[in-house]
Amino acid sequence: MNERALETLEFNKIRNQLIKYAASELGKRMAETLMPSTDFPVVVRLQEETDEATTILRLKGHIPLAGIFDITPSIKRAEIGGMLNAQELVEIASTIRSGKQLKKFFSAILEEKDLPILSELTNDMNPPHELERIISNAINENGEILDSASIPLRTIRQQIRNFESRVREKLESIIRSNSAQKMLSDAVITIRNDRLVIPVKQEYRSHFGGMVHDQSASGQTLFIEPQSVMQLNNDLHQSRMKEQIEMERILTELSNETGNYSNELRQLVSILQQIDFIFMKAKFGASMKATKPKVNDDGYIKLNKARHPFIAPDEVVPNDIVLGKDFTTIVITGPNTGGKTVTLKTVGLLTLMAQAGLQIPAQDGSEIAVFASVFADIGDEQSIEQSLSTFSSHMVNIVDILKSVDHQSLVLFDELGAGTDPQEGAALAMALLDEVHNRGARVIATTHYPELKAYGYNRAGVTNASVEFNVETLSPTYRLLIGVPGRSNAFEISKRLGLPNEIIERAKSHIHSETNKVDQMIASLETSRREAEEEEKEAKEYLKLAEKLHRDLQQAIMEYYEQKDELINKAKREAKAIIKKAEFEAEEVIKELRQMQFEKVAQIKEHELIEAKKRLQEAAPQVEEQKQLQRKQKQKLRPGDEVKVLTFGQKGNLLDKISDDEWLVQVGILKMNVKEADLELIKSTPTIEKKPITTVKGKEYHVSLELDLRGERYEDAIVKLEKYLDDALLAGYPRVSIIHGKGTGALRTGVQQYLKNHRHIKSYHYGHANEGGIGVTIVELK
């Protein structure tokens, strides 16, 4: 990859931002040496591994990567027989422990998700559990060798504690004696040269005998080891020397054991480094709301709402950029400070990021090509970095680019041909574009030269582009317009800034007529494009609304038919039960008559027969005759009337008369054609209403998501509740709220008793604290 392009496109800043997400020095080291790959299969794998890590972060929110150290130098020393110190051994044990935790973490996830790359790494990771156990039993997390590390060490340390205790006892008896109080500077025991001593005033130096180990800065206090404790201090010192020898022996033994596991440890370190680096990429991508791009080796770039990663999210303007299919070269024309250079850098930097396995700040569905080389000649005067703005500097860079550019290259030219005579610069720019384009490279170039506006129309595979400029606000919008060349806004800007019209008109007269025509054409294209975008946006909103209405209608129809079938089935079951009961009763009557006949023969009295006949009539099913579906002779229907559809038993409103005997009726959110004979007038519209009503609106016909029954009498409340639930079911609501208040609880109990017996209620419960608590019942509808 071209080093100059990496520097120009500021890929090093990407590395620096990536390092912030490192969990260990191992991952940090990989980030510092990160380079884009030019191998297509490698780039595909890098993107896949980043995506797998993103999936885990999305599911779990974290990954246990703490406690990982770079133990490679320690492994090398252990291999050649060197002795590791306690801290190095602690880091080795910590790294092994982290590997064990990480493997356990992945094992649980891999049972549910298919993550082949991380699964492969996990399977290859075999932390040496035994080594971690041995080290942990000998050394604690603070790097202190434990008494349990060996039996000799435990014995020696017990001796040390005993000697130290005896020395302290003797010294404490000295400093507590009345005769010694005046001889001591302070009644304390302290340590000098690893020996326990007491602070004695200078004038009493010879009183205690023994050895002077130190004195105060003023010389008035001497730190003396009294003669009476010298032997005990000698014994203590010797025990400490034995302790040191035993600890070195333990460390040597643990170091040798570490050397035996050098291969497993190296493999563990390598895998932990890769995992840390993979999750660094995922965390970095999440921080800038990046997505995984599709990768190809066809030279095709498609960026959806791409953003430059170094521009603040509240300032950056996302752009759609396409290159590599219908055209392989884009020439962006227009004035300065419009965002042309940002577009170049965005395409170049996002390409490098993708080839390095990083996700890119663009929307889903974006696609990036893998290029063998990325070249950039960008002299950005607005950049903090030193720009290459002179003609000679540009030419030196361009000559280097031409030596290597081919069909697998992405070339970015900023202000091509600038810094010299405009006529010669424009001619040179077109010649350079021809050369690079003919070699098959993907090219994006920016220029000021108006001559290049026609370049895209005269060359196959080349298109113009520009960055939109708002003349009203005198500022660029930074939106890239592919297919529309840039135009000069000098006259419009000058006019808005107050330059007299006569000067502007005089200036226009010096412009070639063809140039004026081109600018007018470009202005017309920009206007048409904006109008088309607004119309497209409005059409999408209407489409969304239409789709929602369609779904609601389908749902309502399905619920209607389900309810209809359920009612029919219920009616059949009830009828069957009634008939069965009637048959049983009839059989009982007949049985009794026969018994009476058998017992009394001809003595059955008339009243007994009449009673039996009455019982037979009562046993027969009482079927209510269906009301004839006919309207009263007096009813006159008009659009807007409130009616009842007799077939469904639902209320609605007349919208329009379709034919002599058929009306269009609005029932809830449904509109249906109904025969006039199937309608019953409930409420007429006032006679002053002359105009036919085409739509029914108003609070009366709008089904709210809640019903307020507070202050209602119990009987009235239940009637309102029954009607409201019917309307809510017809409107297709899955969930409504019944507000009954707390009060004495009578209304609340009545409401819930009614809901309990309603066949279309799935469940109900009191509202949460923020929904009204026990003053509100939340109802889930079937």
Side-chain angles (χ1 to χ4, degrees):
M1 190 59 66
N2 185 269
E3 287 289 343
R4 188 185 187 97
L6 293 175
E7 182 181 348
T8 301
L9 296 172
E10 301 176 301
F11 187 73
N12 63 308
K13 290 186 179 179
I14 292 292
R15 292 195 195 105
N16 293 337
Q17 290 193 6
L18 182 62
I19 287 172
K20 298 176 184 177
Y21 300 94
S24 67
E25 284 296 321
L26 296 169
K28 182 178 178 181
R29 193 174 303 131
M30 283 194 74
E32 289 172 343
T33 58
L34 177 64
M35 288 289 288
S37 174
T38 58
D39 189 335
F40 177 71
V42 171
V43 174
V44 172
R45 180 183 171 85
L46 291 174
Q47 285 293 338
E48 289 294 335
E49 68 184 21
T50 306
D51 188 55
E52 288 185 14
T54 301
T55 300
I56 289 180
L57 290 178
R58 187 176 67 250
L59 293 174
K60 299 296 182 180
H62 76 289
I63 178 172
L65 285 172
I68 298 174
F69 296 92
D70 182 10
I71 59 175
T72 307
S74 301
I75 297 171
K76 288 181 180 178
R77 294 218 335 274
E79 269 186 318
I80 61 175
M83 187 187 77
L84 305 179
N85 61 42
Q87 188 58 42
E88 288 174 317
L89 290 166
V90 167
E91 291 179 356
I92 290 172
S94 175
T95 303
I96 297 172
R97 195 177 305 113
S98 297
K100 288 165 57 180
Q101 292 175 350
L102 202 57
K103 187 159 187 171
K104 183 179 179 181
F105 176 81
F106 281 131
S107 297
I109 296 175
L110 295 174
E111 290 178 359
E112 305 172 3
K113 299 291 292 184
D114 182 24
L115 305 170
I117 297 175
L118 290 174
S119 177
E120 178 186 342
L121 288 172
T122 304
N123 291 335
D124 292 341
M125 183 169 58
N126 297 301
H129 308 283
E130 183 61 19
L131 178 62
E132 187 261 337
R133 185 187 66 79
I134 293 171
I135 295 174
S136 297
N137 287 342
I139 306 173
N140 65 19
E141 293 180 354
N142 297 322
E144 299 168 346
I145 300 178
L146 302 171
D147 291 357
S148 58
S150 73
I151 294 175
L153 182 63
R154 183 185 294 114
T155 303
I156 292 170
R157 286 187 172 172
Q158 185 60 46
Q159 292 175 352
I160 290 173
R161 284 190 286 271
N162 289 338
F163 286 133
E164 191 175 67
S165 176
R166 291 170 61 187
V167 172
R168 285 188 177 276
E169 284 178 6
K170 279 189 171 291
L171 292 177
E172 284 176 0
S173 66
I174 292 173
I175 63 177
R176 282 200 302 267
S177 65
N178 294 330
S179 59
Q181 292 294 322
K182 63 178 181 177
M183 304 178 192
L184 301 177
S185 299
D186 197 358
V188 296
I189 300 171
T190 185
I191 297 175
R192 290 294 186 274
N193 300 327
D194 292 330
R195 314 278 286 195
L196 293 172
V197 296
I198 56 176
V200 180
K201 295 178 180 178
Q202 171 69 32
E203 58 268 28
Y204 300 105
R205 172 177 182 174
S206 60
H207 182 81
F208 294 96
M211 181 180 295
V212 177
H213 287 276
D214 197 5
Q215 66 178 12
S216 64
S218 64
Q220 296 301 311
T221 299
L222 302 177
F223 295 94
I224 296 175
E225 179 184 3
Q227 183 68 39
S228 59
V229 298
M230 286 188 68
Q231 184 56 45
L232 287 174
N233 259 335
N234 288 339
D235 294 339
L236 177 61
H237 183 67
Q238 287 177 0
S239 296
R240 283 175 174 163
M241 289 176 63
K242 290 178 183 179
E243 178 192 29
Q244 189 62 36
I245 294 170
E246 179 60 18
M247 288 194 299
E248 289 179 1
R249 187 194 67 78
I250 292 170
L251 293 176
T252 301
E253 188 176 292
L254 292 175
S255 300
N256 293 336
E257 193 68 25
T258 300
N260 295 335
Y261 287 97
S262 59
N263 292 333
E264 292 91 333
L265 290 173
R266 277 201 178 88
Q267 185 180 32
L268 175 64
V269 169
S270 176
I271 293 173
L272 290 176
Q273 183 177 39
Q274 292 179 64
I275 291 175
D276 187 11
F277 180 65
I278 290 170
F279 278 88
M280 285 169 60
K281 295 189 295 180
K283 292 173 186 175
F284 177 51
S287 71
M288 57 182 176
K289 298 180 180 179
T291 61
K292 173 193 172 187
K294 183 180 178 182
V295 181
N296 69 79
D297 57 354
D298 301 324
Y300 176 57
I301 297 175
K302 178 189 176 186
L303 298 175
N304 300 328
K305 303 299 179 186
R307 313 180 304 276
H308 195 287
F310 300 150
I311 300 178
D314 57 341
E315 297 178 6
V316 68
V317 177
N319 272 309
D320 296 329
I321 305 168
V322 181
L323 176 68
K325 279 195 176 176
D326 297 333
F327 45 85
T328 59
T329 298
I330 299 176
V331 180
I332 307 176
T333 54
N336 251 338
T337 69
K340 300 192 303 296
T341 303
V342 171
T343 301
L344 286 186
K345 286 192 170 184
T346 300
V347 175
L349 187 54
L350 266 57
T351 297
L352 296 177
M353 289 173 64
Q355 291 187 214
L358 299 171
Q359 296 185 344
I360 61 174
Q363 288 186 358
D364 285 329
S366 296
E367 195 164 346
I368 285 286
V370 176
F371 294 101
S373 302
V374 175
F375 300 102
D377 177 55
I378 299 176
D380 188 358
E381 296 176 355
Q382 299 172 358
S383 174
I384 298 175
E385 309 294 334
Q386 183 179 0
S387 63
L388 300 174
S389 58
T390 65
F391 178 74
S392 59
S393 297
H394 277 290
M395 278 302 107
V396 168
N397 195 18
I398 290 171
V399 169
D400 288 338
I401 292 173
L402 292 176
K403 291 176 183 178
S404 307
V405 71
D406 58 17
H407 68 284
Q408 292 183 313
S409 301
L410 172 65
V411 185
L412 307 171
F413 288 130
D414 189 29
E415 300 302 340
L416 189 59
T420 186
D421 177 75
Q423 208 166 14
E424 292 181 358
L428 187 59
M430 285 189 280
L432 288 170
L433 285 174
D434 281 338
E435 176 64 22
V436 180
H437 176 70
N438 291 336
R439 292 192 192 183
R442 279 24 180 190
V443 186
I444 304 180
T446 68
T447 181
H448 282 303
Y449 297 132
E451 290 85 353
L452 267 70
K453 292 178 183 178
Y455 182 82
Y457 296 109
N458 299 331
R459 307 295 197 283
V462 181
T463 190
N464 285 311
S466 60
V467 180
E468 190 178 51
F469 188 89
N470 190 328
V471 179
E472 297 298 322
T473 60
L474 303 181
S475 63
T477 65
Y478 302 104
R479 292 180 65 241
L480 183 69
L481 306 176
I482 295 180
V484 180
R487 66 189 182 96
S488 173
N489 298 291
F491 294 148
E492 287 85 348
I493 294 172
S494 300
K495 184 176 181 180
R496 288 191 60 81
L497 291 176
L499 192 67
N501 283 335
E502 58 269 19
I503 297 177
I504 294 173
E505 293 302 323
R506 194 181 310 139
K508 287 182 179 179
S509 67
H510 296 309
I511 300 295
H512 196 276
S513 61
E514 293 299 322
T515 302
N516 279 329
K517 289 180 181 178
V518 170
D519 280 345
Q520 290 172 5
M521 178 193 70
I522 294 171
S524 176
L525 283 172
E526 289 180 353
T527 302
S528 299
R529 183 188 182 104
R530 280 195 298 271
E531 291 175 353
E533 286 177 350
E534 291 174 1
E535 290 174 359
E536 180 187 15
K537 184 178 179 181
E538 187 176 353
K540 286 181 178 178
E541 291 296 325
Y542 279 122
L543 179 61
K544 283 183 182 178
L545 181 60
E547 289 175 345
K548 184 179 184 302
L549 291 173
H550 180 66
R551 287 194 302 270
D552 292 344
L553 181 60
Q554 283 184 323
Q555 181 67 23
I557 291 173
M558 287 174 63
E559 290 178 358
Y560 160 70
Y561 282 115
E562 287 176 1
Q563 186 178 10
K564 179 182 176 183
D565 293 342
E566 185 180 346
L567 290 172
I568 291 173
N569 291 333
K570 182 180 179 182
K572 287 180 179 178
R573 290 193 300 270
E574 291 177 351
K576 187 176 180 180
I578 292 171
I579 292 170
K580 189 173 182 180
K581 180 181 178 182
E583 289 175 349
F584 176 78
E585 187 68 26
E587 288 178 1
E588 288 294 316
V589 172
I590 293 170
K591 183 178 179 182
E592 288 180 11
L593 286 172
R594 284 176 179 170
Q595 183 69 24
M596 291 168 64
Q597 184 181 22
F598 177 76
E599 291 177 354
K600 302 181 181 179
V601 189
Q603 296 181 10
I604 301 174
K605 296 180 179 180
E606 185 66 23
H607 75 275
E608 292 176 331
L609 290 173
I610 293 171
E611 181 66 24
K613 183 178 179 182
K614 183 179 179 182
R615 286 176 62 192
L616 280 173
Q617 289 175 343
E618 290 176 351
Q622 299 298 317
V623 181
E624 183 180 351
E625 294 184 3
Q626 184 179 6
K627 295 181 180 178
Q628 293 187 358
L629 303 179
Q630 59 181 14
R631 57 186 175 85
K632 299 177 182 179
Q633 295 295 325
K634 295 182 179 180
Q635 78 174 6
K636 292 183 180 180
L637 304 178
R638 296 196 307 273
D641 287 352
E642 183 179 354
V643 296
K644 181 178 182 181
V645 182
L646 299 176
T647 301
F648 305 130
Q650 298 291 332
K651 296 179 182 179
N653 295 84
L654 299 179
L655 298 181
D656 198 7
K657 192 165 187 178
I658 300 174
S659 62
D660 291 339
D661 62 343
E662 195 171 18
W663 287 82
L664 179 63
V665 183
Q666 172 105 29
V667 180
I669 64 170
L670 297 176
K671 294 180 182 179
M672 57 182 73
N673 296 340
V674 182
K675 294 291 185 181
E676 187 169 322
D678 197 13
L679 300 173
E680 180 181 316
L681 179 64
I682 295 177
K683 182 180 178 182
S684 298
T685 54
T687 55
I688 58 172
E689 294 288 341
K690 300 296 182 181
K691 296 182 181 179
I693 300 173
T694 56
T695 58
V696 180
K697 298 181 179 179
K699 183 177 181 181
E700 184 180 355
Y701 307 112
H702 170 72
V703 183
S704 174
L705 287 171
E706 61 183 31
L707 173 65
D708 193 344
L709 297 176
R710 288 175 295 184
E712 296 285 345
R713 295 180 59 218
Y714 175 79
E715 293 79 11
D716 296 337
I718 297 302
V719 172
K720 286 189 176 183
L721 176 61
E722 181 181 8
K723 181 180 183 303
Y724 173 73
L725 290 176
D726 289 342
D727 293 342
L729 285 165
L730 194 60
Y733 292 161
R735 185 174 187 263
V736 296
S737 302
I738 309 301
I739 304 173
H740 42 62
K742 299 176 183 177
T744 61
L747 183 57
R748 177 175 72 242
T749 304
V751 167
Q752 296 199 350
Q753 187 62 36
Y754 178 84
L755 295 174
K756 182 178 180 181
N757 299 318
H758 199 291
R759 63 177 178 275
H760 291 297
I761 303 301
K762 184 190 299 182
S763 65
Y764 60 88
H765 57 83
Y766 289 126
H768 298 298
N770 60 346
E771 295 175 320
I774 62 172
V776 176
T777 296
I778 309 299
V779 183
E780 303 288 341
L781 302 175
K782 292 183 181 178

